[in-house]
Amino acid sequence: MKRCLLFIALVFPLASPVFSKPFAQELDFAYFADPSAQMTLTEVQTQKFTPGRGRFNFGFTQSAYWFRFSLPPEANKTRELILSIGLPTLDWIDLYEPLKNGDYRLVQGGEMRSYSKRDFAFFLFSHALTDQDKNLKGEYFLRIQSQSSLHGRIFLQDESSYVKTVATDSTLFGLIEGFCLILMIYNLFLFWATKERVHLYFVFYLGFILLTVLSFYSLTMAMFWPESPKIQEVTHLLWPPLFFIFGTLFSREFIQSKKYLPRVDRWLVALLFIYGATLASTLVLSYQILAQLELAVTLLFVLSMISLAMIGGVCRLRGTGFFAAGWFVFILFLLLLILRLMGWIHYPSSLTFLAQLPFVAQALLLAIGLADRVRQLNREKDAAKLAQQAAEQEAKQQFLFMARLSHEIRTPLNAVLGFAHLLEEPVKQKEKTEFLGHILRGGTALLRLIDEMLDLARIHSDTLILEPKPFNLAALIKELCHAAQLQLKKKEVTVSFKLDPALPRQLVLDPYRLRQILSNLLTNATKFTPKGRILLGLKVSKIVAPRLDLEIFIEDTGIGFDPQKSKQIFLPFAQLGDGKTQIQGSAGLGLAISK
């Protein structure tokens, strides 16, 4: 019946209580320490006991502790009671139950005893007191000895309260295990997709920390080796060094300490050797020595993770916000648990179970941090890809630029060299003058091209120096329009200008650079306007004394261009005409310089 009750509680964790008024109470007791751990019940009964209340916590001790208590009067109203000890890691528990005939019945339990010897297949020591056996007036004796921290509580419940306790614990354990398994599967998928080791380390870290928690509550023994307490004793201290190792490996990979914090990384590598030595020592050292050694190593692990989180935050490394939050939540509760195991602080036993929740919170925060890290890495990869494409495009443009520049230099240079070779032969004076004119024009074109290239290089390197000074803008406009009209003497084209009446007579700016800009715009218009008109206009768009913004525009009746290619005309060597550009001697640098 008892095992059936436990089965129902585990399978149907939300089942309704059996009794309408549950009974649950912590029992007061008196205790006695047996340093030799050899005393019998008869010897102990003659000793002086120290009064205690509800809970006990003696930390790490080699002594066996005896507890003496009686059942409260209220227990007589309940048909069946269940006595339990509220901590699963106590190794040897012997309950001496008084019978109505005056004898004592020995009930054994504890983590070092197999599940087959327990009244209930549950991680807590539990024993049913039936109407037939219980002696309300008799004294119960409880002997507890443990290689780990000796603390817990003596608790008395009826069946309904016990079912509720088992149901709650089973439900919470199931939720926590399920959540961790989902995170592990998700990160295995991410490792398969990204091939980044940080996800694999996180899976192992979650797995071993989950095994540590389950082992703490003897659930690994219940699930895998219920009849082998010795295996439970070994594995109980085997899991923590493993989760220290993979926690450190995960942290190194997450923070990328080898790349960004090389000195800290060397310290983390040294810690990995310490954790490995602790893992190896589980095969040779005694349980009690190992338990205290692992507490010291746990404190070392805690301090290293705090330091790493703080250093990562100060250095503003990627993802340190979630990383630091996860470890601080985990470390806070882990420190409380360690302090209680050492017997330095006392808090309710229910919080021992709730100490699992920081593992869940930490796992969630680290998983969010990993997801954020993946998002940032993808964004950085996309940015790097765009930068690479831009670099490749720039290299391609530079290659095309040099090819076009070579072509533009070769054309006038060929003319200069060709007519220079012709002058080596005897020629008439008229032809000689004509050849010299071609050489002069070719040299002038080369000089203009070189000047434009130097200006373009200064603009791109941000070394172009402007020399502002006062000058008459209207006079400059008239001069440029007159010069353009002279170039068009063989074409039926008129060149005119339009100035804004709000334009001041005197302006302070670089007249040479303004002349260069306006000349380039007019030259471009004259080349592509076979007949009609060209209008150069200047308009004041905004005046904020002593500054003003000028808007320069050109209107002509030339061949025009496709509006969709408007941005291309300002690129070096860009020629959007119909093939006449090269004939008209354009290098395609004027508008690029003007922009």
Side-chain angles (χ1 to χ4, degrees):
M1 183 267 181
K2 304 181 187 75
R3 294 185 183 275
C4 181
L5 176 65
L6 178 59
F7 176 78
I8 293 173
L10 291 172
V11 177
F12 304 103
L14 300 180
S16 299
V18 178
F19 301 100
S20 58
K21 294 182 179 180
F23 174 82
Q25 181 178 330
E26 287 184 350
L27 298 181
D28 294 336
F29 56 83
Y31 65 90
F32 167 74
D34 174 17
S36 67
Q38 301 294 326
M39 297 181 70
T40 63
L41 174 61
T42 304
E43 295 172 334
V44 166
Q45 285 177 317
T46 62
Q47 301 298 320
K48 182 179 180 180
F49 280 69
T50 303
R53 187 176 184 84
R55 301 179 181 90
F56 55 90
N57 190 343
F58 302 107
F60 285 93
T61 177
Q62 296 182 356
S63 300
Y65 274 80
W66 289 80
F67 300 86
R68 185 180 65 199
F69 59 91
S70 301
L71 301 183
E74 297 85 354
N76 192 37
K77 302 176 183 179
T78 305
R79 182 174 57 85
E80 182 169 304
L81 294 172
I82 298 174
L83 181 73
S84 60
I85 308 298
L87 189 73
T89 55
L90 301 173
D91 293 332
W92 294 279
I93 301 175
D94 296 328
L95 174 64
Y96 293 88
E97 179 184 9
L99 302 178
K100 291 182 179 180
N101 60 9
D103 294 332
Y104 281 90
R105 179 169 59 192
L106 176 61
V107 180
Q108 293 183 322
E111 192 177 34
M112 296 307 294
R113 294 188 171 114
S114 64
Y115 267 63
S116 62
K117 296 181 180 180
R118 305 185 185 187
D119 279 7
F120 297 97
F122 193 48
F123 57 82
L124 294 178
F125 172 82
S126 304
H127 174 62
L129 307 175
T130 63
D131 282 328
Q132 180 179 357
D133 298 327
K134 67 184 180 184
N135 184 357
L136 294 179
K137 297 182 180 180
E139 287 186 331
Y140 288 76
F141 287 87
L142 182 68
R143 181 186 183 275
I144 300 178
Q145 185 179 1
S146 185
Q147 300 177 94
S148 60
S149 176
L150 200 154
H151 65 280
R153 64 175 180 169
I154 303 173
F155 203 62
L156 192 64
Q157 301 167 277
D158 61 14
E159 286 183 346
S160 63
S161 179
Y162 185 76
V163 168
K164 184 178 179 180
T165 301
V166 173
T168 302
D169 289 352
S170 301
T171 302
L172 290 176
F173 272 120
L175 290 174
I176 292 170
E177 292 170 19
F179 177 77
C180 291
L181 288 174
I182 289 172
L183 285 182
M184 291 168 66
I185 293 171
Y186 172 69
N187 279 275
L188 274 177
F189 171 77
L190 287 179
F191 170 71
W192 175 80
T194 63
K195 301 298 185 293
E196 291 192 16
R197 290 177 296 180
V198 63
H199 297 289
L200 186 62
Y201 291 152
F202 186 59
V203 170
F204 279 109
Y205 169 72
L206 275 184
F208 285 121
I209 201 171
L210 182 60
L211 285 172
T212 300
V213 173
L214 294 178
S215 180
F216 179 80
Y217 287 93
S218 293
L219 292 178
T220 50
M221 181 178 178
M223 292 186 292
F224 304 119
W225 38 80
E227 303 304 316
S228 302
K230 190 61 179 177
I231 297 178
Q232 174 66 15
E233 180 184 18
V234 173
T235 56
H236 187 70
L237 295 175
L238 184 67
W239 309 131
L242 287 171
F243 97 70
F244 295 157
I245 289 172
F246 283 98
T248 303
L249 289 173
F250 163 76
S251 301
R252 286 182 69 217
E253 201 71 23
F254 188 98
I255 296 293
Q256 293 185 301
S257 58
K258 187 175 182 180
K259 180 179 180 181
Y260 298 112
L261 304 169
R263 292 184 179 179
V264 176
D265 186 72
R266 287 193 287 271
W267 166 248
L268 293 177
V269 171
L271 288 178
L272 287 174
F273 281 103
I274 294 174
Y275 302 148
T278 305
L279 180 64
S281 67
T282 58
L283 303 176
V284 293
L285 297 180
S286 66
Y287 184 95
Q288 194 163 24
I289 295 176
L290 277 172
Q292 298 187 50
L293 173 64
E294 288 196 1
L295 275 179
V297 174
T298 301
L299 289 174
L300 182 63
F301 176 73
V302 166
L303 292 175
S304 66
M305 291 300 104
I306 289 178
S307 303
L308 184 60
M310 294 176 63
I311 293 172
V314 170
C315 297
R316 298 182 181 275
L317 299 181
R318 183 196 301 115
T320 50
F322 290 108
F323 179 84
W327 282 112
F328 274 110
V329 168
F330 168 80
I331 287 166
L332 175 64
F333 283 84
L334 190 60
L335 282 174
L336 291 175
L337 183 60
I338 291 173
L339 292 175
R340 188 184 183 199
L341 290 175
M342 297 296 295
W344 295 341
I345 63 171
H346 301 267
Y347 58 84
S349 298
S350 57
L351 289 183
T352 304
F353 176 82
L354 293 178
Q356 299 173 80
L357 297 182
F359 297 129
V360 177
Q362 186 215 26
L364 181 60
L365 287 169
L366 293 180
I368 294 173
L370 277 176
D372 183 67
R373 183 178 183 272
V374 170
R375 181 182 59 81
Q376 292 185 31
L377 286 174
N378 288 336
R379 189 166 56 189
E380 290 174 5
K381 287 180 181 178
D382 292 341
K385 185 176 180 181
L386 290 175
Q388 183 180 4
Q389 292 175 349
E392 292 175 354
Q393 185 67 21
E394 183 179 358
K396 182 179 179 181
Q397 290 296 331
Q398 289 179 354
F399 174 78
L400 294 175
F401 179 83
M402 294 304 299
R404 292 296 303 274
L405 178 62
S406 301
H407 176 75
E408 295 297 335
I409 292 176
R410 186 179 59 184
T411 301
L413 188 59
N414 282 338
V416 171
L417 293 176
F419 286 110
H421 284 305
L422 290 176
L423 287 175
E424 290 180 348
E425 304 294 333
V427 293
K428 297 179 181 181
Q429 184 63 34
K430 182 179 180 180
E431 292 177 339
K432 184 177 181 180
T433 302
E434 181 181 354
F435 292 167
L436 288 174
H438 286 300
I439 291 174
L440 180 61
R441 286 190 292 273
T444 302
L446 279 174
L447 181 61
R448 184 174 64 251
L449 179 61
I450 292 172
D451 287 340
E452 290 178 342
M453 284 298 306
L454 289 174
D455 286 340
L456 195 62
R458 292 190 189 102
I459 292 170
H460 286 172
S461 62
D462 199 22
T463 57
L464 185 67
I465 300 175
L466 299 178
E467 299 179 0
K469 58 185 177 181
F471 76 100
N472 190 321
L473 180 60
L476 176 63
I477 298 298
K478 291 178 182 180
E479 179 186 343
L480 290 174
C481 289
H482 179 69
Q485 188 68 67
L486 291 177
Q487 292 179 3
L488 295 170
K489 58 185 178 180
K490 295 182 179 180
K491 294 183 180 181
E492 298 178 0
V493 179
T494 59
V495 181
S496 60
F497 61 90
K498 181 179 179 181
L499 301 180
D500 192 330
L503 190 66
R505 183 177 180 84
Q506 289 281 336
L507 291 178
V508 179
L509 48 77
D510 191 331
Y512 174 77
R513 295 303 174 187
L514 181 61
R515 175 190 292 272
Q516 187 178 17
I517 293 171
L518 296 176
S519 178
N520 286 333
L521 294 174
L522 282 172
T523 301
N524 191 71
T526 58
K527 288 179 179 179
F528 294 97
T529 306
K531 63 179 180 178
R533 67 181 183 86
I534 298 174
L535 174 65
L536 172 61
L538 274 78
K539 178 182 178 182
V540 178
S541 59
K542 184 172 68 173
I543 299 179
V544 180
R547 301 173 60 89
L548 61 83
D549 292 342
L550 283 179
E551 181 180 332
I552 303 174
F553 61 89
I554 292 283
E555 294 180 0
D556 60 53
T557 58
I559 61 177
F561 58 88
D562 187 352
Q564 295 181 354
K565 298 181 179 180
S566 59
K567 294 183 179 180
Q568 297 183 26
I569 65 174
F570 293 100
L571 297 176
F573 301 114
Q575 298 180 4
L576 304 182
D578 57 359
K580 299 179 181 179
T581 302
Q582 292 184 357
I583 297 175
Q584 292 167 340
S586 173
L589 293 176
L591 292 182
I593 294 173
S594 299
K595 181 184 179 182

